[in-house]
């Protein structure tokens, strides 16, 4: 939820309208409820990530916040190359919230910031 709420701030600061909520929601529906769909899919992704984090936290001896941030940034770096597929195949590519991503430094910075924020909040909540 915090991720989606932070999007308008980083969109203004970095002057890039990239939105994970739009990316996910407009992949699920092209109708007027794409924003709700995007939040729901994003929340489900966050919940799965939280479960993986919890399992790793029980097996590794690492400070919770540091582990959460490291995992969030690792996920970001591992999955960002999939933007090449988004750039070619997403049904709403080019629409507001879904600019070209793979070679977009501002979008990469937004995604990095968002993952850092998510990791920090998750690590704090896990303490």
């Amino acid at each position: 939820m915090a991720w989606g709420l932070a999007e308008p701030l980083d969109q203004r600061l970095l002057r890039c309208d990239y939105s994970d909520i739009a990316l996910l929601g407009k992949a699920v529906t092209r109708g007027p409820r794409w924003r709700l769909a995007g939040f729901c899919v994003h929340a489900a992704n966050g919940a799965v990530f939280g479960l993986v984090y919890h399992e790793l936290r029980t097996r590794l001896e690492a400070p919770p916040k540091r582990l959460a941030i490291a995992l969030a940034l690792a996920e970001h770096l591992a999955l960002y190359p999939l933007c090449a597929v988004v750039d070619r195949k997403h049904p709403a590519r080019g629409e507001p919230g879904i600019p070209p991503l793979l070679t977009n430094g501002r979008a990469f910075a937004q995604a990095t910031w968002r993952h850092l924020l998510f990791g920090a909040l998750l690590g704090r909540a896990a303490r």
Side-chain angles (χ1 to χ4, degrees):
M1 181 85 133
W3 183 303
L5 297 174
E7 282 188 354
L9 173 65
D10 67 53
Q11 288 171 328
R12 275 189 230 112
L13 288 174
L14 292 167
R15 297 183 318 276
C16 180
D17 77 337
Y18 169 48
S19 166
D20 288 297
I21 303 303
L23 180 81
L24 296 171
K26 291 179 179 181
V28 174
T29 181
R30 301 305 305 281
R33 299 195 191 276
W34 66 262
R35 184 174 300 281
L36 175 62
F39 266 104
C40 290
V41 172
H42 208 273
N45 288 347
V48 170
F49 186 91
L51 291 171
V52 171
Y53 165 75
H54 174 73
E55 286 301 314
L56 289 173
R57 186 171 165 230
T58 62
R59 301 172 200 280
L60 301 173
E61 292 187 26
K65 191 173 181 180
R66 184 175 294 165
L67 178 62
I69 290 172
L71 290 174
L73 291 175
E75 183 222 21
H76 164 53
L77 293 174
L79 295 180
Y80 201 81
L82 292 176
C83 288
V85 176
V86 172
D87 288 348
R88 285 194 310 267
K89 303 288 185 180
H90 195 285
R93 66 191 177 279
E95 288 186 9
I98 311 173
L101 297 174
L102 187 62
T103 59
N104 186 332
R106 292 176 192 264
F108 183 82
Q110 283 173 300
T112 303
W113 149 250
R114 293 170 187 170
H115 280 85
L116 179 64
L117 174 64
F118 176 72
L121 292 173
L122 178 63
R124 182 179 171 112
R127 279 195 269 161

